[in-house]
């Protein structure tokens, strides 16, 4: 699984020691030291090798402009990252700045572990959906550091050969195209359950269904609309998708897509760099996902938080402000092949002239955040189990979703 895919689906719940430790270890000295005093702040994250190299390269400009602030990069790619981080914070310690998944950011903010950043970043510079998990009571407690969303990746050559001139914009068009593209070894579409519920969220919302009720206290994703969405996947598994989609992941579909034996798949911006070097230039494109009752896709990515335990909060905020500067973000995204997190950068020629990156500006306007309640991991797991059970034929879509809702409501209670 790719870098972003792993983060998008790593939502297993971690027990949080919430109320008992929310205020532990908070330091009164948040000024960053006396004027002229040198301080060290820690930035803890799960960078890839490429990200680490790029960050260290760009950090030189921050160090030059802020000689009294040293940034110590703490890279932890261990599976127990969130367990250890939670224990650190609950014990009154932990890093000054941390990069975490949106559901984790919501949990940390709800626990009182993050400092407000309204005085550091401007909310209007970001996509509204990306701010939902990091906003509480009208205050901004984080900033999006990495954005992604699911879109439709399709083989223009295969669609053209099948007499399809434009990418499908509705479920009916998608179903028709998938069946028309299916011929022998070639399959029309790939929709998979190996990433838990992440891939299915857009289709759930497109049907008009919701994950939780308006009070965010009860799971309701077993509605007739939700059943219809999962039934669509089950029907396509029978007629137009490769076998074994219940447990498949994106890694199982990328090869067939590149080789021309898969017409359509859902993926995110992380797929763009590898497809650009796959030798299929001019044979693929990106479009928003097809809609049913409404347009929708799922938001993924990572958020930055300045933790309440920080002894040098002002220095930490200075670092975050620098990191989110337009010029810094432009260099970061363009060097790594990522899509920008700031809306204004999509008008920059570097991104505007890249048709694949530019396509995601429209996709992100449709993006919705997954549930941001503390039990989000349990809900995602339950929904993912339902998708797998239905695609594998072990349960009907209705029975699978009923069971998942029951499990989710137990967690919510």
């Amino acid at each position: 699984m790719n870098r972003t895919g792993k983060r998008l689906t790593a939502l297993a719940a971690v027990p949080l020691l919430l109320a008992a430790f929310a205020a532990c270890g908070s330091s009164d000295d948040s000024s960053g030291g006396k004027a002229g005093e040198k301080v060290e702040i820690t930035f803890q994250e799960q960078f890839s090798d490429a990200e680490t190299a790029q960050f260290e390269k760009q950090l030189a400009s921050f160090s030059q402009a802020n000689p009294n602030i040293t940034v110590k990069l703490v890279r932890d790619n261990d599976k127990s990252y969130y367990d250890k981080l939670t224990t650190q914070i609950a014990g009154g310690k932990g890093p000054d700045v941390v990069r975490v998944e949106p559901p984790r950011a919501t949990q940390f903010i709800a626990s009182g572990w993050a400092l407000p950043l309204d005085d550091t970043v401007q909310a209007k510079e970001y996509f509204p959906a990306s701010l939902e998990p990091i906003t509480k009571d009208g205050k901004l407690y984080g900033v999006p550091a990495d954005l992604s969303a699911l879109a439709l990746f399709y083989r223009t050559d295969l669609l053209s050969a099948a007499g399809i001139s434009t990418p499908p914009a509705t479920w009916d068009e998608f179903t028709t195209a998938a069946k028309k593209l299916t011929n022998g070894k070639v399959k029309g579409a790939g929709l998979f359950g190996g990433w838990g519920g992440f891939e299915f969220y857009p289709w759930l919302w497109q049907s008009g269904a919701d994950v939780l009720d308006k009070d965010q206290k009860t799971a309701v994703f077993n509605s007739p609309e939700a059943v219809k969405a999962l039934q669509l996947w089950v029907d396509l598994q029978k007629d137009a998708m490769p076998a074994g989609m219940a447990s498949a992941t994106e890694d199982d579909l990328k090869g067939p897509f590149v080789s021309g034996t898969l017409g359509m798949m859902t993926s995110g911006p992380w797929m763009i760099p590898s497809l650009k070097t796959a030798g299929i230039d001019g044979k693929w494109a990106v479009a928003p996902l097809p809609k049913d009752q409404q347009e929708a896709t799922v938001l993924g990515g990572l958020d930055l938080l300045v933790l309440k335990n920080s002894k040098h909060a002002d220095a930490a905020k200075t670092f975050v402000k620098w990191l989110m500067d337009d010029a810094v973000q432009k260099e970061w995204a363009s060097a790594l092949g990522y899509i920008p997190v700031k809306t204004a950068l999509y008008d920059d020629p570097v991104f505007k002239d890249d048709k694949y990156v530019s396509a995601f500006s429209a996709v992100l306007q449709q993006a919705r955040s997954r549930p941001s309640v503390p039990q989000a991991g349990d809900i995602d797991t339950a929904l993912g189990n339902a998708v797998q059970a239905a695609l594998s034929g072990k349960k009907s879509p209705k029975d699978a979703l009923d069971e998942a809702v029951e499990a989710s409501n137990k967690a919510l209670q």
Side-chain angles (χ1 to χ4, degrees), residues 135-260:
T135 302
K136 180 186 178 186
D137 299 330
K139 290 185 177 181
L140 190 63
Y141 285 85
V143 59
D146 181 27
L147 268 190
S148 62
L150 289 178
L152 180 68
F153 283 64
Y154 63 100
R155 289 288 302 240
T156 54
D157 55 342
L158 296 183
L159 265 68
S160 179
I164 305 170
S165 58
T166 58
T170 67
W171 282 12
D172 287 342
E173 291 178 5
F174 181 76
T175 300
T176 299
K179 292 181 178 179
K180 202 169 185 178
L181 289 166
T182 300
N183 183 17
K185 292 183 178 179
V186 178
K187 300 298 180 182
L191 304 170
F192 55 86
W195 280 1
F198 184 76
E199 287 277 319
F200 185 65
Y201 277 112
W203 305 82
L204 185 73
W205 291 322
Q206 290 161 14
S207 73
D210 289 316
V211 181
L212 301 176
D213 65 3
K214 292 182 179 180
D215 294 329
Q216 301 288 287
K217 294 181 179 180
T218 305
V220 294
F221 57 86
N222 59 344
S223 64
E225 293 81 6
V227 173
K228 175 187 174 183
L230 190 50
Q231 187 65 56
L232 173 73
W233 279 38
V234 171
D235 292 343
L236 287 170
Q237 172 70 96
K238 297 175 183 176
D239 300 328
M241 297 205 295
M245 288 296 94
S247 58
T249 69
E250 187 180 81
D251 292 338
D252 299 303
L253 298 178
K254 180 181 175 181
F257 186 83
V258 170
S259 68

Side-chain angles (χ1 to χ4, degrees), residues 74-129:
V74 179
R75 179 178 170 185
D76 184 355
N77 290 75
D78 194 85
K79 290 182 179 179
S80 61
Y81 174 72
Y82 286 106
D83 291 317
K84 291 186 291 184
L85 181 58
T86 298
T87 301
Q88 286 177 320
I89 300 171
K93 300 179 181 179
D96 298 276
V97 182
V98 66
R99 192 171 76 149
V100 297
E101 297 165 347
R104 304 294 184 189
T106 299
Q107 292 173 333
F108 288 7
I109 292 166
S111 302
W113 292 348
L115 293 175
L117 293 181
D118 294 295
D119 59 348
T120 306
V121 295
Q122 297 293 318
K124 63 182 180 181
E125 297 180 343
Y126 301 88
F127 290 95

